[in-house]
Amino acid sequence: MTHIPPPAEELRLLDAELWQLDARRTQLLARRAWLVAALQPKWPAPQPTGPTPAAPPRPDTSAPSVQNVLLLLGGVLLTVAAMVFTLVSWGHLGITGRALVLGAVTVAALAAPLPLLKRGLRSTAESVAGLGLALTVLDAVALHGAVFQESPGAPYTAVSSALLAGLWAAYGLLPRVSELRLPHPAALVAAQLPLFFWAIAADAGSYGLTAALLVTAGFDTVVALRVTPRSVRVVAAIGAYGVGALGVLAAGWLTWTASGPGAAARAAALLLLAAAIALGAAWQKRWLGLAVASGLLTVAALGGAARSALPELWTVPVHLAFGIALLAALRLDRLPDAVRRGLIWASAAVQALALLWALPVVGAVVVGPLAWASQAWTGAPSDARAAVTVGMTWPPHAEAVPVVLAAVAGVLALAVRDTTWRPRALAGALGLIGATALTLPAELELSYTAGLLVQGAVTIGALTAAVFLRRHRTALVLALVTSASLALLALASQTATLIVLSGLVALFAAASWRLAPFTAPTALAYGTALAGATGAAANWSPAHTALLVLVIPAAAALLAPRLADPKAIVPVEAAGAAAGLLAIALAATDVPLLATVLALCGVITAGTAIRTDRRPVGYAAAALFLAATWVRLAAWDVGTPEAYTLPVTIPALLVGVLRHRRDPRISSWTAYAPGLAVTLVPSLVAAWSDPHWERPLLLGMAALSVTLAGAGHRLQAPLLLGGGVLILDALHELAPYLVQVADALPRWVPPALAGLMLLALGATYEQRLRDVRRIRENLGRMN
């Protein structure tokens, strides 16, 4: 039978075998490394001793680039030479010579690309062809100066540019010349001029010039969409955007400055032409940007036409109506997706601009009541508009602002159906509905009381929506903003202030069962304002009003540990702390009451520190109690420093004793030094300037007691602090006698004492050296 060892024995055997294999592998690798080194040549190959040949210089540019630059410079120089010849030397030749020179040079320049193309010199042919095209322009200029001198410049430019465009286009269609890329783009550039200069020649006015620009842009758009060569499409696109932008700007200016329905209709037709061109290009190429531009131009055209027939008040609402009408593209399935989305974005842009126009009115309603903070209780204003425009003017033509806000809110609530954007749209609609309600009292110039009621209703509605809706952020923000504006607006009247603040406290406190992290601190903030307003209404001084404000920190301290939502604890405590700081600031004018307020704040803080998660707040409670004690002593005109320091020393020493008993490893400097230093150091400073004997005597007795206690319990900090203070205090008492003794001693005594001290130090130093030498000799004998 086969012997099977136990698992432990088998594991030991396997480890031994693996160790032997590793040792053998290490031996073989070492032998292999020796063999590789032995096979390497012992002497390195000889290296060349002469200078290393320099590498050829690297060219900074490629050969084709050099070629193109040379050809471009050559063409430019020849063109300049031709211009100089035409403008300067033209008059030295007769009519026959002029015709011969022009014809010969131009024909030669236009014919030269043919043999160059046969030899494969395409770049050179392009340069020569460009020279020929430039010569044709110079020919046209020369002919106008020599033959057609009486012809006006505008019609001659229109005809010559049209002829040149046709000539260059035909030249580019020749069998071999069609290989060149320059003639057709040049023909397209020349085609930008005929219509514009023809309109100038026909005295078509600003409308005719704008129409010429837009028609030219339309022609460029068709060329860019239909032509295949890339160079032609690029030039056509540049022309379409450039000339089209000029035409749109001109049409927009005509729409803005139109003086009557007829002029506005003509300008609107021009904008509609530009919109049609952009829409056609967007339809063909599925370009979102052009679709947006088409929608905006359509709105500007229709709105501009309607503006001339309506009061200026309705300018923005009319444009907004046409912008909303663009949303009909959502129901047109035949439209390309890019065009549909572009029209929708154009509608959104129009609505955003309308809201931007309405923003000053909303800002005046929300922020305007802030001026009542400096004019509180001066009397209720005449109406709601006067209440929100204290120190400011009402924006002009603002009567249509509620219509604009309501219309955009309706669009957001009804038109947006996408699941991603739907919640955001509903949130925006809710905010706009609230803004509409806020602006109505001022727009309608309702009474001051009616304005307060409307803002209160908006606050209640928004807070209710925030409580019961799942997505409550917008409603909550609306409620907070509206309530702040309402509180500021109520400052105009004392009665309104007290009623509104009471209602806001109750409202936000009631909503705290669901939105405690936001509404509970808000309720405490309004409660603080209510306490201050109540004190002011009762003609209390600010210091006495601080006692009433302290109700808020006490309520916050009692409420915080009982809140169901842990996220609300810190905001509630922060609101209570802020109210406590306000109470301290109010009581600063009355020192005795300030001490009381500080003590009460210490009580509230100490009550908070009882909770296990708020134990560090106990330091703040101690600081408040100490500050209350100091303020009370200052109120009693107490100038003795021990009266201020002992209230710190005694609790600090008690805490140190407890800590040292709980953990004996704590250093005495940590446990006792802070408390002792708080009293001993100021008392020592006071004792040195005190001419009487009572303070030094008491300080010496206290320092002696501390020193003895430190020695008895073997505590370093009390021993050194007490001993140091005791020595300094004794020196202060003996200082006069020491001065007398120093005056009575002969002058040779101090040098003698110094010499004796130096001799003693030297002897001690020599003794130490001798001891070291003896130890070294003993160690040597041991070796």
Side-chain angles (χ1 to χ4, degrees):
M1 296 179 65
T2 304
H3 173 69
I4 301 176
E9 180 66 16
E10 185 178 3
L11 179 61
R12 187 186 65 78
L13 294 174
L14 290 176
D15 289 339
E17 292 290 335
L18 290 174
W19 181 83
Q20 293 178 2
L21 289 175
D22 290 337
R24 182 60 178 165
R25 173 179 171 80
T26 303
Q27 181 183 4
L28 292 176
L29 288 175
R31 181 63 180 172
R32 180 183 181 279
W34 184 87
L35 292 173
V36 170
L39 293 175
Q40 295 294 331
K42 295 184 178 180
W43 303 102
Q47 299 294 331
T49 57
T52 303
R58 182 179 180 182
D60 292 335
T61 183
S62 61
S65 300
V66 175
Q67 165 195 302
N68 294 334
V69 170
L70 293 176
L71 292 176
L72 179 61
L73 291 176
V76 171
L77 291 176
L78 288 175
T79 304
V80 172
M83 293 175 62
V84 172
F85 173 77
T86 304
L87 299 175
V88 177
S89 302
W90 182 258
H92 298 289
L93 299 176
I95 185 64
T96 305
R98 299 173 187 174
L100 291 175
V101 170
L102 279 174
V105 174
T106 304
V107 171
L110 293 176
L114 295 176
L116 293 174
L117 289 173
K118 288 181 180 180
R119 296 189 178 186
L121 303 176
R122 182 171 179 176
S123 298
T124 306
E126 292 280 2
S127 299
V128 176
L131 174 62
L133 299 179
L135 287 174
T136 56
V137 177
L138 294 176
D139 292 342
V141 174
L143 287 175
H144 180 266
V147 181
F148 304 102
Q149 295 182 357
E150 299 180 357
S151 177
Y156 183 81
T157 303
V159 174
S160 61
S161 59
L163 293 177
L164 287 175
L167 176 63
W168 293 349
Y171 177 70
L173 294 175
L174 294 178
R176 294 303 300 270
V177 181
S178 60
E179 299 179 9
L180 299 176
R181 291 174 293 184
L182 185 60
H184 286 158
L188 187 59
V189 171
Q192 308 300 309
L193 304 178
L195 280 178
F196 183 76
F197 282 96
W198 187 263
I200 295 176
D203 197 14
S206 55
Y207 291 94
L209 293 175
T210 305
L213 290 174
L214 293 175
V215 172
T216 303
F219 168 74
D220 293 335
T221 303
V222 173
V223 173
L225 295 175
R226 298 298 181 183
V227 176
T228 304
R230 185 174 180 273
S231 58
V232 179
R233 286 190 290 109
V234 170
V235 174
I238 294 173
Y241 282 109
V243 179
L246 291 176
V248 168
L249 291 175
W253 177 256
L254 292 175
T255 302
W256 183 261
T257 58
S259 58
R266 291 194 298 272
L270 294 175
L271 287 176
L272 289 175
L273 174 60
I277 296 171
L279 181 61
W283 196 301
Q284 292 291 326
K285 293 296 183 179
R286 308 298 194 265
W287 286 343
L288 178 64
L290 289 177
V292 174
S294 175
L296 294 176
L297 290 173
T298 302
V299 172
L302 299 178
R307 183 177 65 87
S308 61
L310 294 174
E312 189 175 359
L313 168 66
W314 298 103
T315 299
V316 175
V318 166
H319 283 81
L320 177 62
F322 287 119
I324 295 173
L326 291 177
L327 294 176
L330 291 172
R331 300 184 178 275
L332 298 177
D333 298 331
R334 296 181 60 184
L335 288 178
D337 183 65
V339 175
R340 184 185 297 107
R341 289 190 293 112
L343 295 178
I344 293 172
W345 278 107
S347 175
V350 173
Q351 296 177 57
L353 291 174
L355 292 179
L356 188 62
W357 171 80
L359 186 60
V361 176
V362 179
V365 172
V366 174
V367 184
L370 187 62
W372 287 108
S374 59
Q375 305 178 29
W377 299 355
T378 56
S382 58
D383 53 42
R385 180 178 295 185
V388 299
T389 56
V390 180
M392 60 181 299
T393 58
W394 187 249
H397 309 297
E399 290 80 1
V401 168
V403 177
V404 171
L405 296 175
V408 178
V411 170
L412 292 176
L414 300 176
V416 180
R417 296 296 180 182
D418 185 74
T419 55
T420 303
W421 291 94
R422 178 70 175 171
R424 304 175 187 175
L426 291 177
L430 179 61
L432 291 176
I433 291 173
T436 304
L438 289 178
T439 56
L440 277 176
E443 292 289 356
L444 301 177
E445 297 187 70
L446 300 178
S447 64
Y448 172 69
T449 305
L452 292 177
L453 293 175
V454 170
Q455 286 208 8
V458 173
T459 303
I460 294 172
L463 196 56
T464 303
V467 170
F468 292 102
L469 292 179
R470 293 181 59 186
R471 298 180 179 269
H472 56 268
R473 294 182 180 178
T474 303
L476 180 60
V477 172
L478 178 62
L480 294 175
V481 173
T482 308
S483 64
S485 178
L486 176 61
L488 292 172
L489 191 64
L491 291 176
S493 171
Q494 176 178 326
T495 304
T497 300
L498 297 176
I499 294 175
V500 167
L501 290 177
S502 301
L504 290 177
V505 171
L507 179 63
F508 281 93
S512 296
W513 68 275
R514 180 72 180 275
L515 303 172
F518 305 98
T519 56
T522 305
L524 292 176
Y526 287 130
T528 304
L530 178 61
T534 303
N539 292 324
W540 289 1
S541 65
H544 288 85
T545 304
L547 298 174
L548 187 59
V549 173
L550 283 179
V551 175
I552 304 302
L558 294 174
L559 177 64
R562 293 170 176 80
L563 292 173
D565 191 351
K567 297 180 181 179
I569 296 177
V570 174
V572 167
E573 290 177 343
L581 292 176
L582 177 61
I584 293 173
L586 290 175
T589 57
D590 192 330
V591 177
L593 273 179
L594 177 60
T596 303
V597 170
L598 288 171
L600 292 175
C601 290
V603 171
I604 297 172
T605 309
T608 303
I610 295 175
R611 295 157 47 192
T612 56
D613 57 337
R614 291 293 184 267
R615 290 296 171 80
V617 182
Y619 294 105
L624 289 171
F625 283 130
L626 178 61
T629 304
W630 286 354
V631 172
R632 176 58 62 184
L633 292 173
W636 289 337
D637 296 328
V638 176
T640 304
E642 288 78 9
Y644 295 90
T645 57
L646 286 177
V648 181
T649 296
I650 294 173
L653 291 178
L654 292 177
V655 173
V657 170
L658 293 177
R659 290 190 63 187
H660 197 264
R661 287 183 178 180
R662 185 178 302 173
D663 188 3
R665 293 174 298 177
I666 294 178
S667 172
S668 61
W669 291 99
T670 303
Y672 303 110
L676 293 173
V678 168
T679 294
L680 291 178
V681 174
S683 297
L684 180 62
V685 174
W688 274 80
S689 59
D690 193 346
H692 305 287
W693 59 272
E694 292 88 354
R695 184 189 299 276
L697 178 60
L698 295 175
L699 177 61
M701 295 175 61
L704 179 60
S705 302
V706 171
T707 304
L708 294 176
H713 295 281
R714 297 181 181 179
L715 298 175
Q716 188 180 41
L719 179 62
L720 295 181
L721 285 175
V725 173
L726 182 60
I727 292 174
L728 293 175
D729 186 63
L731 288 175
H732 171 263
E733 293 301 311
L734 295 176
Y737 305 102
L738 293 176
V739 171
Q740 294 177 5
V741 171
D743 291 337
L745 288 175
R747 293 181 179 269
W748 56 267
V749 173
L753 293 175
L756 290 174
M757 183 183 64
L758 292 175
L759 287 175
L761 290 175
T764 305
Y765 187 69
E766 183 180 6
Q767 179 68 30
R768 298 293 181 268
L769 290 177
R770 188 174 57 185
D771 294 340
V772 171
R773 191 180 304 112
R774 184 181 302 148
I775 293 172
R776 184 167 53 190
E777 291 175 357
N778 293 332
L779 290 176
R781 294 192 193 97
M782 292 173 63
N783 292 331

